[in-house]
Amino acid sequence: MRSAPTPHLDVATPERVALTLPIAGIGYRCLAWLVDASLLFFFWLVAYFVFTLLVSDVLGVFQALSGVGQTLLVVGVFATQWLYWTVSEVFFHGQTVGKRVLGIRVVRTDGSPVGVYESAVRNLCRAVDFLPMLYAAACVSMLLTRQHRRLGDLLAGTLLVREERIDLDKYTTAPSTSEPLPQGTGARPLTPEDVELVLSFLSRAPGLAPEVRQRLGARLVERVGPDDAEARAAVLASAESTEAFLRARVQGER
């Protein structure tokens, strides 16, 4: 019996290199939430302990508040948790502590980084996703949608993807070539995005048409290659020399 394909998100980069990002399933998401919920629980536990040092009868103080005061206090507790998730996702590239531990992150449906609006909306919807209790509505939504999205994700246009470590060793063996690679090119250090683009291209290059393979390789050399025109021309002399240079660049970043 054939197993169902793993849900994934296909992203086309400006360099026309396709990246496939695996979708984070309900198991990953629940474990990440448990980590974040534990952190918030300990935060409120410490806050309660500190408050008891200042006020002996905490329950009495809460009951002495007016209805408006009690409502504002409850809203304030929710707002604190909403700020934790929203600020973390915006400033840490779609990750809270729990998501970082599980190796997942929030992105837009086109694969781009999540923004303030998307993060604010998806986390405001936690109040609905939690109903009737323990995120029951969210779990049902994730089980029924192909990309495991809860209601907050559907409204905000977001989803969660898994981060997979890339094995660089399989890309570091350069093909034999009589053309030496240019030395001392003065090329800038590669960013993680550059490394991911180069590795994705190298993994797909054997299946591309020759002219497409050469064109994509040339565009990557323009992005990560040497500044010297003569050295760049030597790199672009053939598809083999272009890909050998790209492999060497990636290996140099290890």
PDB file of all heavy atoms in Angstrom, residues 127-156:
ATOM      1  N   ALA A 127      -7.300  32.415  21.216  1.00  0.00           N
ATOM      2  CA  ALA A 127      -8.466  32.364  22.096  1.00  0.00           C
ATOM      3  C   ALA A 127      -9.567  31.506  21.485  1.00  0.00           C
ATOM      4  O   ALA A 127     -10.302  30.807  22.205  1.00  0.00           O
ATOM      5  CB  ALA A 127      -8.981  33.773  22.361  1.00  0.00           C
ATOM      6  N   VAL A 128      -9.704  31.545  20.150  1.00  0.00           N
ATOM      7  CA  VAL A 128     -10.699  30.718  19.461  1.00  0.00           C
ATOM      8  C   VAL A 128     -10.176  29.308  19.280  1.00  0.00           C
ATOM      9  O   VAL A 128     -10.902  28.323  19.475  1.00  0.00           O
ATOM     10  CB  VAL A 128     -11.063  31.343  18.101  1.00  0.00           C
ATOM     11  CG1 VAL A 128     -12.074  30.470  17.362  1.00  0.00           C
ATOM     12  CG2 VAL A 128     -11.605  32.753  18.287  1.00  0.00           C
ATOM     13  N   ASP A 129      -8.914  29.174  18.897  1.00  0.00           N
ATOM     14  CA  ASP A 129      -8.328  27.849  18.679  1.00  0.00           C
ATOM     15  C   ASP A 129      -8.333  27.007  19.954  1.00  0.00           C
ATOM     16  O   ASP A 129      -8.340  25.779  19.883  1.00  0.00           O
ATOM     17  CB  ASP A 129      -6.887  27.995  18.173  1.00  0.00           C
ATOM     18  CG  ASP A 129      -6.824  28.288  16.686  1.00  0.00           C
ATOM     19  OD1 ASP A 129      -7.560  27.639  15.928  1.00  0.00           O
ATOM     20  OD2 ASP A 129      -6.056  29.172  16.282  1.00  0.00           O
ATOM     21  N   PHE A 130      -8.310  27.681  21.123  1.00  0.00           N
ATOM     22  CA  PHE A 130      -8.257  26.958  22.396  1.00  0.00           C
ATOM     23  C   PHE A 130      -9.588  26.280  22.723  1.00  0.00           C
ATOM     24  O   PHE A 130      -9.622  25.310  23.482  1.00  0.00           O
ATOM     25  CB  PHE A 130      -7.864  27.920  23.521  1.00  0.00           C
ATOM     26  CG  PHE A 130      -7.537  27.240  24.813  1.00  0.00           C
ATOM     27  CD1 PHE A 130      -6.276  26.716  25.028  1.00  0.00           C
ATOM     28  CD2 PHE A 130      -8.490  27.115  25.808  1.00  0.00           C
ATOM     29  CE1 PHE A 130      -5.968  26.081  26.223  1.00  0.00           C
ATOM     30  CE2 PHE A 130      -8.195  26.485  27.006  1.00  0.00           C
ATOM     31  CZ  PHE A 130      -6.928  25.964  27.216  1.00  0.00           C
ATOM     32  N   LEU A 131     -10.693  26.798  22.167  1.00  0.00           N
ATOM     33  CA  LEU A 131     -12.027  26.301  22.512  1.00  0.00           C
ATOM     34  C   LEU A 131     -12.230  24.859  22.044  1.00  0.00           C
ATOM     35  O   LEU A 131     -11.665  24.461  21.007  1.00  0.00           O
ATOM     36  CB  LEU A 131     -13.086  27.223  21.887  1.00  0.00           C
ATOM     37  CG  LEU A 131     -13.063  28.674  22.380  1.00  0.00           C
ATOM     38  CD1 LEU A 131     -14.049  29.500  21.581  1.00  0.00           C
ATOM     39  CD2 LEU A 131     -13.366  28.752  23.876  1.00  0.00           C
ATOM     40  N   PRO A 132     -13.072  24.077  22.719  1.00  0.00           N
ATOM     41  CA  PRO A 132     -13.672  24.390  24.030  1.00  0.00           C
ATOM     42  C   PRO A 132     -12.667  24.274  25.164  1.00  0.00           C
ATOM     43  O   PRO A 132     -12.844  24.845  26.213  1.00  0.00           O
ATOM     44  CB  PRO A 132     -14.796  23.369  24.157  1.00  0.00           C
ATOM     45  CG  PRO A 132     -14.312  22.192  23.363  1.00  0.00           C
ATOM     46  CD  PRO A 132     -13.549  22.776  22.197  1.00  0.00           C
ATOM     47  N   MET A 133     -11.570  23.516  24.915  1.00  0.00           N
ATOM     48  CA  MET A 133     -10.470  23.456  25.883  1.00  0.00           C
ATOM     49  C   MET A 133      -9.281  22.762  25.227  1.00  0.00           C
ATOM     50  O   MET A 133      -9.438  21.989  24.268  1.00  0.00           O
ATOM     51  CB  MET A 133     -10.869  22.713  27.167  1.00  0.00           C
ATOM     52  CG  MET A 133     -11.252  21.265  26.955  1.00  0.00           C
ATOM     53  SD  MET A 133     -11.559  20.348  28.482  1.00  0.00           S
ATOM     54  CE  MET A 133     -12.747  21.372  29.293  1.00  0.00           C
ATOM     55  N   LEU A 134      -8.094  23.079  25.715  1.00  0.00           N
ATOM     56  CA  LEU A 134      -6.854  22.419  25.289  1.00  0.00           C
ATOM     57  C   LEU A 134      -6.674  22.410  23.770  1.00  0.00           C
ATOM     58  O   LEU A 134      -6.261  21.424  23.175  1.00  0.00           O
ATOM     59  CB  LEU A 134      -6.812  20.979  25.824  1.00  0.00           C
ATOM     60  CG  LEU A 134      -6.807  20.848  27.348  1.00  0.00           C
ATOM     61  CD1 LEU A 134      -6.826  19.382  27.749  1.00  0.00           C
ATOM     62  CD2 LEU A 134      -5.605  21.561  27.956  1.00  0.00           C
ATOM     63  N   TYR A 135      -6.991  23.537  23.131  1.00  0.00           N
ATOM     64  CA  TYR A 135      -6.783  23.719  21.689  1.00  0.00           C
ATOM     65  C   TYR A 135      -7.500  22.652  20.862  1.00  0.00           C
ATOM     66  O   TYR A 135      -6.973  22.174  19.849  1.00  0.00           O
ATOM     67  CB  TYR A 135      -5.290  23.724  21.363  1.00  0.00           C
ATOM     68  CG  TYR A 135      -4.614  25.030  21.705  1.00  0.00           C
ATOM     69  CD1 TYR A 135      -3.988  25.207  22.925  1.00  0.00           C
ATOM     70  CD2 TYR A 135      -4.630  26.098  20.803  1.00  0.00           C
ATOM     71  CE1 TYR A 135      -3.385  26.408  23.259  1.00  0.00           C
ATOM     72  CE2 TYR A 135      -4.028  27.308  21.125  1.00  0.00           C
ATOM     73  CZ  TYR A 135      -3.406  27.452  22.358  1.00  0.00           C
ATOM     74  OH  TYR A 135      -2.815  28.653  22.681  1.00  0.00           O
ATOM     75  N   ALA A 136      -8.698  22.292  21.283  1.00  0.00           N
ATOM     76  CA  ALA A 136      -9.461  21.280  20.551  1.00  0.00           C
ATOM     77  C   ALA A 136      -9.796  21.756  19.138  1.00  0.00           C
ATOM     78  O   ALA A 136      -9.657  21.009  18.167  1.00  0.00           O
ATOM     79  CB  ALA A 136     -10.744  20.944  21.312  1.00  0.00           C
ATOM     80  N   ALA A 137     -10.237  23.011  19.007  1.00  0.00           N
ATOM     81  CA  ALA A 137     -10.572  23.547  17.683  1.00  0.00           C
ATOM     82  C   ALA A 137      -9.345  23.572  16.782  1.00  0.00           C
ATOM     83  O   ALA A 137      -9.425  23.259  15.588  1.00  0.00           O
ATOM     84  CB  ALA A 137     -11.161  24.955  17.818  1.00  0.00           C
ATOM     85  N   ALA A 138      -8.191  23.933  17.349  1.00  0.00           N
ATOM     86  CA  ALA A 138      -6.956  23.973  16.563  1.00  0.00           C
ATOM     87  C   ALA A 138      -6.572  22.580  16.084  1.00  0.00           C
ATOM     88  O   ALA A 138      -6.170  22.394  14.933  1.00  0.00           O
ATOM     89  CB  ALA A 138      -5.825  24.583  17.395  1.00  0.00           C
ATOM     90  N   CYS A 139      -6.691  21.580  16.956  1.00  0.00           N
ATOM     91  CA  CYS A 139      -6.321  20.206  16.581  1.00  0.00           C
ATOM     92  C   CYS A 139      -7.224  19.681  15.466  1.00  0.00           C
ATOM     93  O   CYS A 139      -6.736  19.039  14.524  1.00  0.00           O
ATOM     94  CB  CYS A 139      -6.401  19.301  17.802  1.00  0.00           C
ATOM     95  SG  CYS A 139      -5.109  19.615  19.037  1.00  0.00           S
ATOM     96  N   VAL A 140      -8.521  19.966  15.559  1.00  0.00           N
ATOM     97  CA  VAL A 140      -9.446  19.525  14.510  1.00  0.00           C
ATOM     98  C   VAL A 140      -9.093  20.187  13.183  1.00  0.00           C
ATOM     99  O   VAL A 140      -9.055  19.535  12.132  1.00  0.00           O
ATOM    100  CB  VAL A 140     -10.904  19.846  14.903  1.00  0.00           C
ATOM    101  CG1 VAL A 140     -11.839  19.596  13.729  1.00  0.00           C
ATOM    102  CG2 VAL A 140     -11.317  19.013  16.105  1.00  0.00           C
ATOM    103  N   SER A 141      -8.799  21.492  13.231  1.00  0.00           N
ATOM    104  CA  SER A 141      -8.445  22.217  12.010  1.00  0.00           C
ATOM    105  C   SER A 141      -7.162  21.670  11.392  1.00  0.00           C
ATOM    106  O   SER A 141      -7.071  21.482  10.173  1.00  0.00           O
ATOM    107  CB  SER A 141      -8.277  23.702  12.321  1.00  0.00           C
ATOM    108  OG  SER A 141      -7.862  24.414  11.177  1.00  0.00           O
ATOM    109  N   MET A 142      -6.159  21.362  12.222  1.00  0.00           N
ATOM    110  CA  MET A 142      -4.894  20.845  11.705  1.00  0.00           C
ATOM    111  C   MET A 142      -5.052  19.453  11.100  1.00  0.00           C
ATOM    112  O   MET A 142      -4.384  19.107  10.129  1.00  0.00           O
ATOM    113  CB  MET A 142      -3.837  20.833  12.813  1.00  0.00           C
ATOM    114  CG  MET A 142      -3.277  22.209  13.138  1.00  0.00           C
ATOM    115  SD  MET A 142      -1.891  22.149  14.298  1.00  0.00           S
ATOM    116  CE  MET A 142      -2.746  21.925  15.854  1.00  0.00           C
ATOM    117  N   LEU A 143      -5.961  18.657  11.665  1.00  0.00           N
ATOM    118  CA  LEU A 143      -6.186  17.314  11.138  1.00  0.00           C
ATOM    119  C   LEU A 143      -6.954  17.343   9.821  1.00  0.00           C
ATOM    120  O   LEU A 143      -6.800  16.452   8.981  1.00  0.00           O
ATOM    121  CB  LEU A 143      -6.948  16.470  12.157  1.00  0.00           C
ATOM    122  CG  LEU A 143      -6.162  16.066  13.424  1.00  0.00           C
ATOM    123  CD1 LEU A 143      -7.088  15.396  14.421  1.00  0.00           C
ATOM    124  CD2 LEU A 143      -4.990  15.157  13.072  1.00  0.00           C
ATOM    125  N   LEU A 144      -7.767  18.390   9.617  1.00  0.00           N
ATOM    126  CA  LEU A 144      -8.604  18.468   8.418  1.00  0.00           C
ATOM    127  C   LEU A 144      -7.948  19.212   7.265  1.00  0.00           C
ATOM    128  O   LEU A 144      -8.398  19.095   6.129  1.00  0.00           O
ATOM    129  CB  LEU A 144      -9.940  19.128   8.758  1.00  0.00           C
ATOM    130  CG  LEU A 144     -10.861  18.352   9.719  1.00  0.00           C
ATOM    131  CD1 LEU A 144     -12.132  19.143   9.986  1.00  0.00           C
ATOM    132  CD2 LEU A 144     -11.191  16.973   9.156  1.00  0.00           C
ATOM    133  N   THR A 145      -6.913  19.999   7.522  1.00  0.00           N
ATOM    134  CA  THR A 145      -6.264  20.755   6.451  1.00  0.00           C
ATOM    135  C   THR A 145      -5.003  20.040   5.980  1.00  0.00           C
ATOM    136  O   THR A 145      -4.290  19.422   6.781  1.00  0.00           O
ATOM    137  CB  THR A 145      -5.895  22.174   6.930  1.00  0.00           C
ATOM    138  OG1 THR A 145      -5.116  22.098   8.137  1.00  0.00           O
ATOM    139  CG2 THR A 145      -7.146  22.987   7.216  1.00  0.00           C
ATOM    140  N   ARG A 146      -4.722  20.147   4.700  1.00  0.00           N
ATOM    141  CA  ARG A 146      -3.600  19.407   4.103  1.00  0.00           C
ATOM    142  C   ARG A 146      -2.259  19.857   4.662  1.00  0.00           C
ATOM    143  O   ARG A 146      -1.342  19.053   4.797  1.00  0.00           O
ATOM    144  CB  ARG A 146      -3.621  19.595   2.581  1.00  0.00           C
ATOM    145  CG  ARG A 146      -2.584  18.766   1.838  1.00  0.00           C
ATOM    146  CD  ARG A 146      -2.783  18.906   0.335  1.00  0.00           C
ATOM    147  NE  ARG A 146      -2.599  20.274  -0.098  1.00  0.00           N
ATOM    148  CZ  ARG A 146      -1.413  20.814  -0.410  1.00  0.00           C
ATOM    149  NH1 ARG A 146      -0.320  20.073  -0.321  1.00  0.00           N
ATOM    150  NH2 ARG A 146      -1.317  22.059  -0.811  1.00  0.00           N
ATOM    151  N   GLN A 147      -2.133  21.145   4.985  1.00  0.00           N
ATOM    152  CA  GLN A 147      -0.857  21.670   5.474  1.00  0.00           C
ATOM    153  C   GLN A 147      -0.851  21.862   6.991  1.00  0.00           C
ATOM    154  O   GLN A 147      -0.037  22.609   7.520  1.00  0.00           O
ATOM    155  CB  GLN A 147      -0.542  22.991   4.767  1.00  0.00           C
ATOM    156  CG  GLN A 147      -0.296  22.828   3.270  1.00  0.00           C
ATOM    157  CD  GLN A 147       0.025  24.136   2.587  1.00  0.00           C
ATOM    158  OE1 GLN A 147      -0.556  25.177   2.892  1.00  0.00           O
ATOM    159  NE2 GLN A 147       0.961  24.105   1.651  1.00  0.00           N
ATOM    160  N   HIS A 148      -1.756  21.175   7.694  1.00  0.00           N
ATOM    161  CA  HIS A 148      -1.798  21.182   9.161  1.00  0.00           C
ATOM    162  C   HIS A 148      -1.858  22.609   9.717  1.00  0.00           C
ATOM    163  O   HIS A 148      -1.059  22.983  10.573  1.00  0.00           O
ATOM    164  CB  HIS A 148      -0.582  20.447   9.732  1.00  0.00           C
ATOM    165  CG  HIS A 148      -0.399  19.072   9.213  1.00  0.00           C
ATOM    166  ND1 HIS A 148      -1.383  18.102   9.297  1.00  0.00           N
ATOM    167  CD2 HIS A 148       0.638  18.474   8.558  1.00  0.00           C
ATOM    168  CE1 HIS A 148      -0.958  16.980   8.743  1.00  0.00           C
ATOM    169  NE2 HIS A 148       0.254  17.177   8.267  1.00  0.00           N
ATOM    170  N   ARG A 149      -2.814  23.378   9.230  1.00  0.00           N
ATOM    171  CA  ARG A 149      -2.962  24.770   9.668  1.00  0.00           C
ATOM    172  C   ARG A 149      -4.138  24.903  10.625  1.00  0.00           C
ATOM    173  O   ARG A 149      -5.216  24.387  10.370  1.00  0.00           O
ATOM    174  CB  ARG A 149      -3.168  25.682   8.456  1.00  0.00           C
ATOM    175  CG  ARG A 149      -2.027  25.621   7.459  1.00  0.00           C
ATOM    176  CD  ARG A 149      -2.403  26.263   6.142  1.00  0.00           C
ATOM    177  NE  ARG A 149      -2.498  27.699   6.246  1.00  0.00           N
ATOM    178  CZ  ARG A 149      -2.978  28.482   5.285  1.00  0.00           C
ATOM    179  NH1 ARG A 149      -3.446  27.931   4.165  1.00  0.00           N
ATOM    180  NH2 ARG A 149      -3.022  29.787   5.435  1.00  0.00           N
ATOM    181  N   ARG A 150      -3.911  25.614  11.721  1.00  0.00           N
ATOM    182  CA  ARG A 150      -5.015  25.890  12.631  1.00  0.00           C
ATOM    183  C   ARG A 150      -5.769  27.119  12.135  1.00  0.00           C
ATOM    184  O   ARG A 150      -5.374  27.749  11.140  1.00  0.00           O
ATOM    185  CB  ARG A 150      -4.506  26.075  14.062  1.00  0.00           C
ATOM    186  CG  ARG A 150      -3.545  27.237  14.296  1.00  0.00           C
ATOM    187  CD  ARG A 150      -3.158  27.304  15.768  1.00  0.00           C
ATOM    188  NE  ARG A 150      -2.189  28.349  16.059  1.00  0.00           N
ATOM    189  CZ  ARG A 150      -2.489  29.617  16.283  1.00  0.00           C
ATOM    190  NH1 ARG A 150      -3.756  30.022  16.207  1.00  0.00           N
ATOM    191  NH2 ARG A 150      -1.550  30.508  16.542  1.00  0.00           N
ATOM    192  N   LEU A 151      -6.870  27.486  12.832  1.00  0.00           N
ATOM    193  CA  LEU A 151      -7.708  28.584  12.368  1.00  0.00           C
ATOM    194  C   LEU A 151      -6.917  29.892  12.274  1.00  0.00           C
ATOM    195  O   LEU A 151      -7.098  30.676  11.339  1.00  0.00           O
ATOM    196  CB  LEU A 151      -8.904  28.760  13.315  1.00  0.00           C
ATOM    197  CG  LEU A 151      -9.847  27.553  13.418  1.00  0.00           C
ATOM    198  CD1 LEU A 151     -10.958  27.835  14.440  1.00  0.00           C
ATOM    199  CD2 LEU A 151     -10.457  27.226  12.061  1.00  0.00           C
ATOM    200  N   GLY A 152      -6.033  30.117  13.241  1.00  0.00           N
ATOM    201  CA  GLY A 152      -5.216  31.330  13.216  1.00  0.00           C
ATOM    202  C   GLY A 152      -4.327  31.396  11.989  1.00  0.00           C
ATOM    203  O   GLY A 152      -4.134  32.462  11.400  1.00  0.00           O
ATOM    204  N   ASP A 153      -3.796  30.255  11.567  1.00  0.00           N
ATOM    205  CA  ASP A 153      -2.965  30.216  10.359  1.00  0.00           C
ATOM    206  C   ASP A 153      -3.800  30.492   9.116  1.00  0.00           C
ATOM    207  O   ASP A 153      -3.346  31.184   8.194  1.00  0.00           O
ATOM    208  CB  ASP A 153      -2.290  28.843  10.227  1.00  0.00           C
ATOM    209  CG  ASP A 153      -1.235  28.611  11.283  1.00  0.00           C
ATOM    210  OD1 ASP A 153      -0.439  29.528  11.533  1.00  0.00           O
ATOM    211  OD2 ASP A 153      -1.201  27.512  11.857  1.00  0.00           O
ATOM    212  N   LEU A 154      -5.005  29.952   9.073  1.00  0.00           N
ATOM    213  CA  LEU A 154      -5.867  30.165   7.910  1.00  0.00           C
ATOM    214  C   LEU A 154      -6.228  31.640   7.760  1.00  0.00           C
ATOM    215  O   LEU A 154      -6.270  32.174   6.644  1.00  0.00           O
ATOM    216  CB  LEU A 154      -7.138  29.316   8.033  1.00  0.00           C
ATOM    217  CG  LEU A 154      -6.926  27.793   7.991  1.00  0.00           C
ATOM    218  CD1 LEU A 154      -8.222  27.072   8.322  1.00  0.00           C
ATOM    219  CD2 LEU A 154      -6.403  27.357   6.624  1.00  0.00           C
ATOM    220  N   LEU A 155      -6.495  32.312   8.866  1.00  0.00           N
ATOM    221  CA  LEU A 155      -6.862  33.727   8.806  1.00  0.00           C
ATOM    222  C   LEU A 155      -5.654  34.614   8.510  1.00  0.00           C
ATOM    223  O   LEU A 155      -5.775  35.627   7.820  1.00  0.00           O
ATOM    224  CB  LEU A 155      -7.504  34.159  10.131  1.00  0.00           C
ATOM    225  CG  LEU A 155      -8.908  33.620  10.405  1.00  0.00           C
ATOM    226  CD1 LEU A 155      -9.372  34.022  11.798  1.00  0.00           C
ATOM    227  CD2 LEU A 155      -9.892  34.139   9.357  1.00  0.00           C
ATOM    228  N   ALA A 156      -4.490  34.236   9.037  1.00  0.00           N
ATOM    229  CA  ALA A 156      -3.291  35.071   8.874  1.00  0.00           C
ATOM    230  C   ALA A 156      -2.512  34.745   7.612  1.00  0.00           C
ATOM    231  O   ALA A 156      -1.611  35.490   7.231  1.00  0.00           O
ATOM    232  CB  ALA A 156      -2.379  34.910  10.097  1.00  0.00           C
TER     233      ALA A 156
END
